[in-house]
Each structure stands twice: as C-alpha cells, then as structure tokens.
C-alpha cells in the first residue's frame, strides 16, 4: 500500500490537415471539464468536497496538505472549485429535497451556522434546517436520505416555506418553531424522546436525584420495547405498542403529574417534567403509528457532521458559501446513509454532469438511487 498521490493527466490533441479536404485543419475537441481550462479533474474536485464536508478539513488545511506534496493551491482557488461543483450539484440537491418532502413521515432538525457578515465586521447566525427520512426501522420501501437548507436567520417563517404544502406527521425536537408550524393545522408533530430524556439525565448525572433517576427507568422501558420491534412492519409495531407501550405511557403520565405536584415549581426538575407534559400528545403519537420512531436520532446523527465542520471551519465565508455547504453536505450525508463512498459517488456524478447527463434522468444521480443504477449497469 502507498499513500494517495497526485498525478498529471496529459491530453494530447494533434491537429490534422489534408490538401484534399476543404475543412482545413481538424483537431479533436477537448474533453469536458468541470473547471474549464483549469487543472483539476472531476476526481480532484470531488476529493476537495469530501475532505471538506465529510472529513471536516477546512480549505486552508487542505491547501497546506497539498503544499507538502509540492502542489501550490491557494485557498481561494479551492473555494472557487467548491463553488463550481455546488452550482452543478444544486439541481440534485433540489430534487433530493423534493423527494424527501414527499415522504409520509419526514424528520426535521436544525443547527446554527456562523456566517461572515462583512458589512458588520463580524459573523451573523444563520441556520441549517435538516429534512430527513429513514423508513428502514419499519421496513419501508424507500431508501434513507437527508437534505439541508440554509437560511440566513432563525425566523420561524423559514421553516414554513421549507415545508409548504406538506401534510402529515413530522418528527422533531423541542425547538419552539415547530409548535408554530403545527398551529397552521396541516402538520402533526411527533416529539423526540431523547430530548425529553436529556433533561432528566442531566439532573441524574449532576448528583443524587431519585425522581430524575426513576424517570429514566420509565423511559428505558419504552426503549426496551422498541428494541424488540425494530425491523418489523409498521402495522406489527403499532399493535405491539398498543399492547405494551400504551399502558406504560398512561402510567408514566400519571407519575409525572404526581411528582410535579410534590416539588417546587422553580427547580430544574419541574422544568423537565413540564417539558414532557407540555409535549405529551406529540411524545405519545408513536403509539398509534408504526412508522414513527421514538426519537429523532437519524437526523441528529447527520447534524453532528455539520457541527464537526462548523467547529473546524469556525464560520462560513458568506451566505453563498453556507448554501454550498448545504448542497454538498446533503449529498455526502445521504451517501453515508445508503452506504455509498462519497468520493466515488461525487467523482462519477460530476463527470456525468459535465458530459451532459440529461436533466430528465436526474433521479438516476440521486445518492439514494445510485447503488441500484450501478448494479443494473454491471448486470
């Protein structure tokens, strides 16, 4: 085995002329490239994208790595390559988002993104909204996927525009924008038990907290049931939950209300209990719908990748840079969910795009459809 190395690909295009022909001098056309007249192949650009959005290496660190190999690439050059790639990948991102919005039970989450704001001389706080779907726990027919959407602020109206036209159940955390979405009457919310559990866990971890510890035992009983039914059909899951989880939920609610009446309303334990009770309908919606998960962990895990990149890069250079982040990260994370190699995927897709892949067949290039297409091609 040898470390990864760069190599120079030379394309020779000899010119031909004939006195017997009227066409004059002929020369083969240059191969299509993502960066016209530039040095990188699509594989090189894909490597930059994967290093930045999957391996969380900021562009300045990548430039340093290339310099050690004798390749002088300025960070601004790499940023230009990222911008070109994101521009060509944007239709794929939009199509992926459309596909996920059409799912019967999407998951949603959000995280902040510092964005450089030159006019103010500091950063502003943008938001990356995550829209995901994962039907594998109930053997659903569709592959998993996630799409991020950038918003330059944290206004709830941004969420309304992202889910415009959707009707059904959305699985969410406790962010206060989601109840406002439900008030519009088109969406039902299924709240995340992990977020509810976290409040009790923090109290139990800090020191002796018998009520919080008892709450954790109640919650663990629900997860034990979920472990048994993971991978079963939605109807099987619903029936088991009706039989086993419903009595536990009824008893847990009574227990929470009883404990809340016994303690001071100003302490954090009371806040944790009120958080659960105020969202109880959404927390227990999973009992009547086998498609709903107990928590939002699928999208939470994908958000961690965004947070790692944010930690290493500190901020996005502009609103446009944050939008590029959303586009490429969506495809990279969907590759991961479908067990695809992001580098191989992006190299192939960028090559197909610059060679004129028809837009009417864009679904073939989605990460969630990529494996089936490759297997068909091999066959």
């Amino acid at each position: 085995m040898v470390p990864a190395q760069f190599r120079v690909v030379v394309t020779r295009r000899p010119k031909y002329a004939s006195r017997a022909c009227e066409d004059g001098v002929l020369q083969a056309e240059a191969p299509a490239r993502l960066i016209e007249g530039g040095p990188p192949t699509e594989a090189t650009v894909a490597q930059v994208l994967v290093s930045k959005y999957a391996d969380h290496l900021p562009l300045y660190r990548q430039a340093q790595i290339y310099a050690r190999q004798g390749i002088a690439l300025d960070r601004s050059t790499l940023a230009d390559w990222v911008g070109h790639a994101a521009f060509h990948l944007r239709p794929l991102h939009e199509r992926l988002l459309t596909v996920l919005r059409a799912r019967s039970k999407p998951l949603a989450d959000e995280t902040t993104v510092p964005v450089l704001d030159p006019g103010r001389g500091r950063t502003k706080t943008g938001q990356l909204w995550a829209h995901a779907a994962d039907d594998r726990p109930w053997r659903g027919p569709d592959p998993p996927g996630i799409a991020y959407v950038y918003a330059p602020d944290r206004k709830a109206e941004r969420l309304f525009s992202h889910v415009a036209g959707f009707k059904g159940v959305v699985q969410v955390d406790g962010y206060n924008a989601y109840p406002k979405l439900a008030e519009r009457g088109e969406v039902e919310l299924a709240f995340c038990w992990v977020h509810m559990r976290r409040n009790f866990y923090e109290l139990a971890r800090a020191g002796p907290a018998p009520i919080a510890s008892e709450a954790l035992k109640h919650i663990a009983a629900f997860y034990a049931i979920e472990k048994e039914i993971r991978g079963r059909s939605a109807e099987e899951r619903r029936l088991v939950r009706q039989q086993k989880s419903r009595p536990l939920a009824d008893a847990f609610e009574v227990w929470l209300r009883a404990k809340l009446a016994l303690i001071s309303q100003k302490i954090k334990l009371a806040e944790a209990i009120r958080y659960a009770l105020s969202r109880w309908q959404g927390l227990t919606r999973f009992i009547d719908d086998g498609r709903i998960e107990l928590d939002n962990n699928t999208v939470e895990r994908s958000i961690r990748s965004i947070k790692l990149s944010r930690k290493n890069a500190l901020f996005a250079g502009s609103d446009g840079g944050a939008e590029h982040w959303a586009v490429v990260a969506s495809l990279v994370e969907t590759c991961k969910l479908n067990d695809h190699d992001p580098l191989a995927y992006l190299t192939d897709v960028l090559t197909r795009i610059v060679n004129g892949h028809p837009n009417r067949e864009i679904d073939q290039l989605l990460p969630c459809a990529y494996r089936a297409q490759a297997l068909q091609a091999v066959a």
Side-chain angles (χ1 to χ4, degrees):
M1 297 177 65
V2 295
Q5 296 177 336
F6 286 94
R7 58 191 176 93
V8 177
V9 178
V10 178
T11 302
R12 301 189 183 278
R13 300 164 55 219
K15 296 180 180 180
Y16 297 94
S18 172
R19 294 187 180 91
C21 298
E22 298 180 356
D23 295 333
V25 178
L26 298 178
Q27 185 180 31
E29 293 185 1
R33 291 294 182 205
L34 181 69
I35 311 297
E36 292 291 344
T41 63
E42 286 65 53
T44 302
V45 176
Q47 176 65 47
V48 173
L49 296 178
V50 171
S51 296
K52 179 173 175 60
Y53 297 108
D55 301 329
H56 320 296
L57 279 174
L59 295 180
Y60 80 90
R61 292 188 187 176
Q62 293 190 50
Q64 293 171 350
I65 293 171
Y66 297 144
R68 290 200 298 267
Q69 300 185 50
I71 302 172
L73 287 173
D74 191 79
R75 179 173 57 179
S76 62
T77 300
L78 297 177
D80 184 60
W81 294 358
V82 171
H84 273 79
F87 173 79
H88 286 281
L89 293 171
R90 188 177 297 276
L92 265 178
H93 171 259
E94 293 174 353
R95 179 57 183 161
L96 176 61
L97 185 60
T98 299
V99 169
L100 294 176
R101 283 173 174 167
R103 297 288 181 85
S104 60
K105 199 273 304 175
L107 305 97
D109 201 358
E110 75 295 321
T111 190
T112 57
V113 177
V115 180
L116 198 61
D117 193 2
R120 300 167 61 196
R122 55 193 177 95
T123 61
K124 64 180 180 180
T125 302
Q127 190 101 322
L128 276 180
W129 296 90
H131 303 263
D134 188 357
D135 300 342
R136 292 173 296 180
W138 53 276
R139 295 190 304 189
D142 298 314
I146 185 166
Y148 303 102
V149 179
Y150 170 70
D153 53 50
R154 303 189 68 195
K155 295 179 181 178
E157 288 78 7
R158 303 289 184 180
L159 176 62
F160 301 159
S161 64
H162 298 164
V163 297
F166 176 80
K167 295 182 180 180
V169 178
V170 181
Q171 190 136 20
V172 299
D173 59 18
Y175 185 45
N176 57 16
Y178 296 120
K180 296 177 182 177
L181 177 65
E183 290 172 2
R184 298 160 65 96
E186 298 178 347
V187 170
E188 292 182 327
L189 302 180
F191 286 111
C192 175
W193 279 67
V194 164
H195 284 78
M196 183 262 286
R197 178 186 181 276
R198 189 174 298 153
N199 296 326
F200 295 108
Y201 174 77
E202 294 295 336
L203 292 170
R205 187 179 65 170
I211 295 179
S213 298
E214 185 68 21
L216 293 177
K217 293 179 181 178
H218 280 278
I219 296 169
F222 290 94
Y223 275 94
I225 296 171
E226 293 301 304
K227 184 177 180 180
E228 294 177 6
I229 62 176
R230 182 168 296 276
R232 298 190 191 180
S233 69
E235 180 60 17
E236 287 180 283
R237 284 155 59 97
R238 187 188 70 82
L239 292 174
V240 172
R241 287 168 172 175
Q242 290 280 349
Q243 180 184 6
K244 296 184 177 181
S245 299
R246 173 71 72 186
L248 293 180
D250 292 342
F252 189 27
E253 181 185 12
V254 171
W255 183 86
L256 286 171
R257 294 189 183 280
K259 296 303 179 183
L260 182 61
L262 296 176
I263 62 176
S264 169
Q265 302 303 298
K266 297 181 180 180
I267 62 176
K268 290 186 177 181
L269 178 59
E271 292 179 9
I273 295 176
R274 284 195 296 268
Y275 177 95
L277 292 175
S278 65
R279 294 165 174 80
W280 195 251
Q281 183 179 10
L283 285 169
T284 56
R285 185 161 275 124
F286 76 98
I287 296 174
D288 298 315
D289 190 336
R291 301 168 304 162
I292 299 175
E293 283 291 281
L294 205 58
D295 53 50
N296 220 19
N297 277 353
T298 295
V299 68
E300 284 279 336
R301 285 190 291 268
S302 296
I303 283 288
R304 288 177 194 166
S305 179
I306 297 293
K307 292 180 178 179
L308 277 172
S309 293
R310 180 182 66 195
K311 178 181 178 181
N312 291 343
L314 300 182
F315 54 81
S318 64
D319 287 332
E323 290 174 357
H324 297 162
W325 192 347
V327 168
V328 182
S330 299
L331 301 176
V332 167
E333 290 303 314
T334 301
C335 277
K336 292 180 183 179
L337 287 173
N338 288 275
D339 297 324
H340 300 325
D341 176 12
L343 178 58
Y345 166 78
L346 287 172
T347 299
D348 189 24
V349 165
L350 288 173
T351 301
R352 290 171 184 264
I353 289 174
V354 299
N355 282 284
H357 186 88
N359 192 55
R360 65 180 180 276
E361 298 176 3
I362 193 171
D363 283 5
Q364 295 180 2
L365 300 185
L366 291 175
C368 44
Y370 187 70
R371 173 178 291 178
Q373 176 192 355
L375 290 176
Q376 185 177 3
V378 171

